[in-house]
Amino acid sequence: MGCSSSQLLDAETLEEYQDCTFFTKREIIHVFERYRQLGGKSLEDSLAMNQVLDLVELKENPFKERICLVFSQFTDGEKKGHISFEDFLDMMSVFSEGATRDVKASYAFRIYDFDGDGYLDKKDLMDTIECLCGKDGLSEYERELVADKILEEADLDGDHRLSYVEFEHVISRAPDFVNTFRIRI
Amino acid sequence: MNGANTTTRHNHSFSVEDVDLVMDASRAGQEREARQSPPSMNGVEVHGLMDEHSDTEELLAGVTREELLQFQEQLPNAVPDAKVLAQSDRRLLSSSHSIRFSPARAATCDAYAQTDPLTFDNLPSQFAARDAIDELPRPGTTHGRRVSDMHGRRRVSEMRNRRASRWRSKKASIHPETDALELDAPKRLQARDNVRRALGRWHLFWYDLRRWWHLKRTRRRDPIPIWSRSIKRIEGYFGSGLASFFTFLRWLFLVNLLISVVYICLVILPMAIRFDYNGITESFQWYNVIDGAGAVGQSWIFYGGYSSIGGYRMDLAYVLVPAGLITACFFIIIRSAAKTSESKSLVQIDARMPFGIIVLASWDYSLNQPSGVENLKSGISNAIKDAIAEDKAQHDIHELKEADWKEKARVYAMRAAAWFIWMLFVAGSFAAIWFVVLEQRFTSVGNNFVETYAPVLVLSFINGALPLAIKRLNNIEHYKHPRTASQVTTLRVFMLRILTIYALLYGFFQKTNFTELQTPVYNGTNSSASITQDDCAGTVIGKEIYKLVLVDTLVGMLQRLAATLFWYFWLKRRVELDLVQCVLHLVYRQGLVWIGMSFSPAVPVVAAISNVRRFCRPPQTRWDSSKNTSFFLWCLGATLFFMAIPLAWALTEYKPNCGPYAASEYDSWFDAISMWITESKGSLRRFFSVVLNPVFMFGVLLLLCMWITMLRIRVQNVRRVVRDTEWELKQTREDKKMLLVALQVKGGRGNALGAPSGESLV
């Protein structure tokens, strides 16, 4: 396995990957092994979303679809949500222990930004709450109430939606965020 | 190339993890620069950021987003601004409301801007800016900053390659509008760097080790490494509330283990070796292990089985060991309670923005077990519900304050009634305990089951059933806040338990005094006492407590099992673990251990074994586990205090007639110590004569008082500093808020809110 992996990943590519992620070469090879276990064949081709969702570390995550969509380089069309190896590596790098707080926060922002308009509005927040608590965890009314409360707390400029700055402001109040926004692979 | 490098550096210096003043100010700086250095800066006098909104809006009308982006590209030119920024930062911090750049300063700035960008690297201004950043108050840890500092040292040029740039461009374009707000989050992603790549194997190992150590130090950690993995797993599956319960249980177990070991070494073993086993008249039966009668009752398990043995001062050991252990327990509890101040729960709740933190920052992405995920989900929804309830409760409390007197009178009458009912409960249990204790005959021969176990069963019943009834009392009281209700219940149950123990002890002491059991029937010096074991007051109390601990465990287990099965088969759902009640039960048991260990040295051993416990459904109410643990520990401390009182009374006032003191003529157990002191010889005697000298005692007392006073003053100082810092932080936060609003105004958005707060800045 290791032999064929290192055949597919030549030294130069590894160097490049090292530059762009928080991994060492050995860890990159490990990530690649995991990628191949999911069914990926080479660097060039990509996995369908449901293939990636088979990953044990993602399987139970309520935001798994969002994660795939955020990290996928295919934003439109038939291959929407497909994950290439680079996307996969990027995902694992962001979720690794080495990634800094702002890197993690900016991706968390994108994950919670369901409609992708660069702001967390009330709808985004309610969707997030639904993911967090499950369908029957909270009633529609409670979700709306909580979303309003969040906006009341964190929306500093009064435009009824959270920009990234405001989001980061909230995150900075949670010192544990770096430890929880993490997937060990 | 160097330009690009500076870009990263600049970006980096102002893009540290938090949304802080630095970021705001740097954005402000970029904005400023946007108006200065490009052609659009045509001699317009720049008064500053906030004071003239008409000006800035006018200016910005001409600056499109593309231009702004262009500016971010040309950031080397922004470096000289750093000096101004640093100054403005300081000004901002010291006097929050005046940010005005004088024309003179703007001119200096321009002069800088015309210098060769290459030299900017070495300009002191940059370092000044960095220093300023370091001086800024910053919430959270410095870890992220350190890592990003490391990142900053690398050259970007190495990253220039086809794949990486494609990759980056893809990442950079997701939120163009956000980027235009100079958020440059994607830019920061560019500047991120893989420090570990350049390291060799050993360096990498060393780096990882350091990182691991740092994480370990900063993250929540477990001071006691026993069973920490199981507790972690429990926390993953069932939440931190239950985990804290088990942490407490483990802690109790260790304390009991310590007590047991000390007792075994200093009291039990010497006796067990020298014990006269021929003195046991009864044959051994298995059920004696539970009821403590028969052969077991005559052995060294109980107080009466001890006697003075040659070569070892059993009388001394028997009084010094409990006294020493209780003192030690006090210190251990206080230390542990002081340590558990930091929050450790899975779902963190910040008082300032509870909802935001729960929803946006509490999901644990590392969970991959379905049950763990389910639990965190329910935990989060409960945390949210709690937060809603808390929010509502705040309103309700206000409402009650403003309610008319009739309503108020009704509520307070109900509460008084609830306390009255509680008192009835206490009185009833007192009556039941005294009845049972005083009616019981103290002979193990011919006792039937009911008579042997009556007090124990009554006490178990009281402790099993009454808390449930007390919990119901909340229904009539209408406490607005669920936490208040829970605290009142806790207080009542806790007091009930302490009072029942007191009642029990009082009953025993009364009984032993009434029946004149101390008649001197002990002729021999050694184990002839075993003949009269059943008449020995210490043994009687020891037996009862021994039975109590054992039967309490058994009954508790059975009761819980029955309840669980009943609920499960009847209602098809698992019974919920009432965490507080469980803890109170444990605390109560520990109280029994402390009081019982002097009468039956085997009690701690039994308790240590029975601390190994059971499972049912995890509690659904979220708890802040740090509050939890300290709450548990304070309960325990209070129990120890309340248990120490009767114990001290027994040690000093109770006239011993059997057990280790059968042979001696002591008036109380403490006489063993005083006798020892008077009998001591040589240097020990001299030591005692110095220590017990009133002058010396007075000196020590004075020293202690001085020390306490000093500590108090220091604490007051620290408190004042904390208060000041909090106030400053609050101010900084408000400044930040205003800056943010002002920035948004300049960006042409949020007009409605921007104008008034802009005015407030002037």
Side-chain angles (χ1 to χ4, degrees):
Chain A
M1 272 285 256
C3 173
S4 57
S5 286
S6 44
Q7 275 165 9
L8 285 166
L9 278 170
D10 58 84
E12 195 198 346
T13 330
L14 265 182
E15 280 284 328
E16 285 170 12
Y17 285 154
Q18 252 190 354
D19 286 343
C20 302
T21 61
F22 296 99
F23 287 132
T24 60
K25 285 181 186 169
R26 190 189 294 244
E27 287 159 346
I28 292 171
I29 291 176
H30 175 69
V31 173
F32 189 55
E33 303 266 326
R34 292 300 302 267
Y35 181 71
R36 290 178 64 202
Q37 279 169 18
L38 291 176
K41 290 179 189 63
S42 65
L43 296 182
E44 307 307 326
D45 93 291
S46 58
L47 293 174
M49 193 149 85
N50 49 9
Q51 274 176 298
V52 181
L53 297 186
D54 275 347
L55 191 73
V56 183
E57 284 81 3
L58 276 183
K59 215 173 193 167
E60 299 298 333
N61 199 313
F63 296 106
K64 52 188 178 181
E65 278 95 6
R66 282 302 303 160
I67 294 175
C68 281
L69 287 174
V70 164
F71 282 94
S72 169
Q73 56 183 308
F74 309 100
T75 46
D76 272 319
E78 203 174 291
K79 291 184 101 177
K80 188 180 178 187
H82 280 222
I83 295 282
S84 69
F85 174 62
E86 283 171 14
D87 298 329
F88 189 68
L89 187 60
D90 208 30
M91 183 195 296
M92 288 310 147
S93 166
V94 167
F95 280 113
S96 73
E97 287 184 16
T100 51
R101 188 186 190 93
D102 42 354
V103 171
K104 283 173 185 285
S106 82
Y107 277 95
F109 182 75
R110 283 172 219 203
I111 289 173
Y112 300 142
D113 182 12
F114 279 75
D115 50 11
D117 63 351
Y119 288 95
L120 298 185
D121 50 26
K122 199 169 162 182
K123 181 80 179 50
D124 288 331
L125 289 174
M126 282 171 70
D127 287 343
T128 308
I129 297 164
E130 190 175 334
C131 275
L132 276 178
C133 305
K135 279 257 186 299
D136 36 47
L138 290 178
S139 67
E140 179 77 19
Y141 167 74
E142 282 171 319
R143 279 205 289 275
E144 201 173 331
L145 185 74
V146 173
D148 281 335
K149 285 280 172 196
I150 294 173
L151 287 176
E152 195 179 295
E153 286 165 7
D155 180 25
L156 301 177
D157 54 0
D159 60 354
H160 303 295
R161 54 186 188 172
L162 296 188
S163 68
Y164 177 69
V165 181
E166 291 156 349
F167 174 76
E168 216 184 359
H169 193 91
V170 177
I171 293 293
S172 68
R173 299 267 171 271
D176 236 17
F177 172 74
V178 186
N179 289 333
T180 54
F181 197 79
R182 197 176 62 187
I183 294 177
R184 271 214 197 90
I185 188 160
Chain B
M1 201 72 359
N2 204 341
N5 184 20
T6 333
T7 312
T8 358
R9 278 228 206 153
H10 180 86
N11 254 344
H12 158 72
S13 4
F14 292 115
S15 59
V16 231
E17 69 256 53
D18 300 316
V19 190
D20 268 340
L21 210 58
V22 194
M23 266 186 61
D24 299 343
S26 80
R27 254 176 268 125
Q30 288 172 13
E31 242 3 279
R32 250 176 62 70
E33 174 224 339
R35 280 177 279 115
Q36 281 180 4
S37 34
S40 69
M41 195 213 80
N42 40 15
V44 181
E45 194 189 346
V46 185
H47 269 298
L49 291 179
M50 327 302 176
D51 46 358
E52 280 174 52
H53 277 287
S54 51
D55 270 7
T56 50
E57 268 163 31
E58 224 172 78
L59 268 170
L60 273 169
V63 186
T64 60
R65 191 196 307 153
E66 282 71 34
E67 273 178 291
L68 273 175
L69 281 174
Q70 194 190 339
F71 263 122
Q72 289 181 343
E73 302 290 309
Q74 297 172 352
L75 270 174
N77 297 332
V79 174
D81 257 8
K83 195 170 189 175
V84 182
L85 275 176
Q87 284 163 351
S88 68
D89 280 350
R90 290 212 177 96
R91 285 163 58 94
L92 251 180
L93 278 177
S94 53
S95 64
S96 53
H97 283 192
S98 60
I99 318 166
R100 285 172 199 235
F101 297 130
S102 68
R105 197 174 294 151
T108 331
C109 198
D110 290 345
Y112 270 124
Q114 278 148 25
T115 332
D116 186 358
L118 277 176
T119 57
F120 287 143
D121 258 355
N122 303 322
L123 277 179
S125 59
Q126 210 181 16
F127 297 108
R130 258 197 203 167
D131 290 347
I133 291 164
D134 287 339
E135 280 169 21
L136 287 171
R138 180 189 304 282
T141 64
T142 55
H143 173 63
R145 182 150 50 108
R146 195 190 298 167
V147 173
S148 49
D149 272 349
M150 286 175 183
H151 284 200
R153 291 200 197 106
R154 252 200 76 249
R155 310 278 117 163
V156 186
S157 56
E158 290 171 24
M159 291 173 75
R160 289 273 162 89
N161 56 55
R162 177 185 51 86
R163 203 186 300 271
S165 63
R166 178 166 68 82
W167 212 350
R168 252 181 280 143
S169 63
K170 182 192 84 188
K171 295 301 167 206
S173 62
I174 295 184
H175 294 298
E177 212 181 343
T178 330
D179 304 346
L181 241 182
E182 308 97 41
L183 281 182
D184 63 16
K187 283 225 164 218
R188 271 181 279 152
L189 296 193
Q190 280 177 36
R192 77 184 183 187
D193 200 0
N194 189 355
V195 194
R196 295 163 73 223
R197 67 174 291 282
L199 302 172
R201 180 178 294 179
W202 290 109
H203 281 103
L204 182 69
F205 176 73
W206 177 237
Y207 178 80
D208 282 350
L209 193 74
R210 256 181 14 213
R211 273 271 299 285
W212 173 79
W213 177 244
H214 185 86
L215 271 178
K216 193 168 150 12
R217 222 172 27 154
T218 50
R219 219 189 297 160
R220 56 182 81 156
R221 76 191 152 142
D222 211 342
I224 313 165
I226 312 165
W227 297 315
S228 57
R229 186 169 291 188
S230 317
I231 288 179
K232 277 265 148 63
R233 227 170 61 205
I234 290 169
E235 175 162 11
Y237 278 86
F238 303 112
S240 63
L242 201 66
S244 68
F245 171 70
F246 278 93
T247 317
F248 178 68
L249 189 62
R250 174 186 66 178
W251 190 90
L252 264 190
F253 171 75
L254 288 177
V255 166
N256 278 337
L257 204 66
L258 174 81
I259 297 178
S260 307
V261 167
V262 172
Y263 252 105
I264 287 174
C265 292
L266 294 180
V267 176
I268 299 182
L269 262 185
M271 195 64 226
I273 293 167
R274 305 287 295 273
F275 192 71
D276 179 15
Y277 289 96
N278 297 326
I280 298 176
T281 49
E282 314 240 350
S283 59
F284 181 75
Q285 306 285 341
W286 275 110
Y287 60 80
N288 286 149
V289 176
I290 295 175
D291 68 7
V296 175
Q298 291 177 340
S299 71
W300 38 261
I301 298 230
F302 299 108
Y303 172 80
Y306 288 81
S307 58
S308 45
I309 41 176
Y312 189 75
R313 294 288 303 262
M314 182 54 82
D315 50 347
L316 200 61
Y318 209 88
V319 63
L320 279 182
V321 167
L325 279 177
I326 283 191
T327 320
C329 281
F330 259 125
F331 279 110
I332 294 174
I333 289 172
I334 288 174
R335 265 185 71 92
S336 307
K339 258 193 212 165
T340 54
S341 55
E342 67 205 78
S343 174
K344 284 182 195 160
S345 64
L346 278 176
V347 180
Q348 265 188 339
I349 302 178
D350 190 291
R352 285 182 298 267
M353 29 180 80
F355 292 99
I357 301 258
I358 297 172
V359 171
L360 298 176
S362 64
W363 184 260
D364 191 347
Y365 283 76
S366 57
L367 284 182
N368 53 21
Q369 295 296 321
S371 49
V373 168
E374 278 310 307
N375 238 291
L376 188 56
K377 274 186 181 178
S378 69
I380 287 177
S381 28
N382 277 292
I384 291 178
K385 280 177 188 161
D386 283 356
I388 294 176
E390 172 85 36
D391 204 58
K392 196 169 162 291
Q394 297 294 345
H395 280 282
D396 286 354
I397 287 171
H398 277 289
E399 266 176 30
L400 182 66
K401 272 183 190 155
E402 284 153 16
D404 60 336
W405 66 271
K406 261 187 190 169
E407 178 67 21
K408 268 187 192 170
R410 202 181 65 82
V411 169
Y412 288 127
M414 286 305 240
R415 288 181 191 173
W419 278 103
F420 183 70
I421 296 174
W422 175 78
M423 276 188 239
L424 284 186
F425 281 157
V426 173
S429 39
F430 269 39
I433 289 169
W434 280 336
F435 176 75
V436 164
V437 168
L438 299 180
E439 282 302 302
Q440 194 206 10
R441 278 173 295 133
F442 288 147
T443 44
S444 58
V445 193
N447 259 2
N448 61 24
F449 179 82
V450 174
E451 278 173 336
T452 315
Y453 291 106
V456 173
L457 284 177
V458 165
L459 218 66
S460 289
F461 173 78
I462 289 173
N463 286 318
L466 281 191
L468 296 178
I470 288 178
K471 219 175 150 189
R472 293 273 169 276
L473 285 182
N474 274 330
N475 292 349
I476 62 165
E477 281 179 305
H478 302 292
Y479 280 113
K480 294 300 178 192
H481 205 298
R483 204 193 307 137
T484 326
S486 146
Q487 277 169 353
V488 169
T489 312
T490 309
L491 184 69
R492 282 179 186 151
V493 174
F494 180 70
M495 278 162 66
L496 175 78
R497 295 210 145 142
I498 296 287
L499 287 174
T500 47
I501 295 181
Y502 269 28
L504 191 74
L505 288 176
Y506 183 73
F508 283 144
F509 285 132
Q510 283 286 41
K511 178 77 182 173
T512 44
N513 283 340
F514 282 166
T515 50
E516 297 288 327
L517 281 172
Q518 295 101 314
T519 41
V521 286
Y522 316 104
N523 307 320
T525 49
N526 52 12
S527 56
S528 66
S530 65
I531 303 163
T532 54
Q533 266 249 10
D534 293 326
D535 298 333
C536 179
T539 308
V540 170
I541 297 174
K543 268 184 192 170
E544 289 306 320
I545 292 174
Y546 174 83
K547 272 190 284 184
L548 210 58
V549 172
L550 260 182
V551 173
D552 195 60
T553 311
L554 290 177
V555 167
M557 266 162 71
L558 283 177
Q559 183 197 3
R560 196 154 285 115
L561 191 70
T564 311
L565 287 178
F566 174 77
W567 283 109
Y568 193 70
F569 286 112
W570 196 257
L571 298 171
K572 297 288 174 211
R573 72 184 177 91
R574 281 186 288 172
V575 66
E576 194 181 320
L577 180 71
D578 190 341
L579 201 62
V580 181
Q581 301 299 335
C582 282
V583 169
L584 286 178
H585 194 211
L586 277 182
V587 167
Y588 157 77
R589 171 103 56 80
Q590 196 58 32
L592 285 183
V593 169
W594 278 320
I595 197 88
M597 65 187 182
S598 332
F599 302 108
S600 165
V603 165
V605 186
V606 174
I609 295 167
S610 79
N611 272 354
V612 182
R613 297 279 285 228
R614 69 285 129 135
F615 265 95
C616 40
R617 185 182 177 170
Q620 296 289 294
T621 333
R622 298 302 302 191
W623 282 81
D624 182 359
S625 59
S626 72
K627 273 181 207 151
N628 249 357
T629 320
S630 45
F631 163 72
F632 298 165
L633 284 170
W634 287 120
C635 277
L636 201 66
T639 314
L640 180 57
F641 179 73
F642 285 122
M643 290 302 109
I645 295 172
L647 201 64
W649 181 82
L651 287 183
T652 49
E653 296 295 320
Y654 186 64
K655 194 172 184 314
N657 59 342
C658 51
Y661 307 102
S664 42
E665 310 261 303
Y666 297 150
D667 280 338
S668 75
W669 292 7
F670 261 109
D671 278 359
I673 299 179
S674 34
M675 285 298 277
W676 177 50
I677 290 168
T678 36
E679 282 167 10
S680 60
K681 295 181 192 74
S683 55
L684 197 66
R685 189 188 180 86
R686 250 174 285 138
F687 171 74
F688 277 123
S689 66
V690 171
V691 166
L692 294 180
N693 190 339
V695 178
F696 182 81
M697 291 283 233
F698 181 73
V700 170
L701 208 65
L702 206 68
L703 259 177
L704 279 178
C705 285
M706 273 161 62
W707 196 40
I708 290 171
T709 319
M710 197 188 74
L711 283 182
R712 267 198 56 191
I713 292 171
R714 274 177 63 182
V715 165
Q716 275 167 358
N717 282 342
V718 168
R719 266 199 203 129
R720 209 194 51 221
V721 170
V722 166
R723 210 177 45 226
D724 289 357
T725 318
E726 267 173 5
W727 185 80
E728 265 173 37
L729 267 178
K730 210 175 129 217
Q731 289 294 316
T732 319
R733 214 172 291 137
E734 268 162 23
D735 293 347
K736 239 180 345 188
K737 215 167 164 176
M738 275 190 272
L739 255 179
L740 204 66
V741 172
L743 274 172
Q744 305 264 329
V745 172
K746 267 156 53 72
R749 54 184 85 233
N751 295 329
L753 213 114
S757 48
E759 274 164 25
S760 71
L761 273 174
V762 176

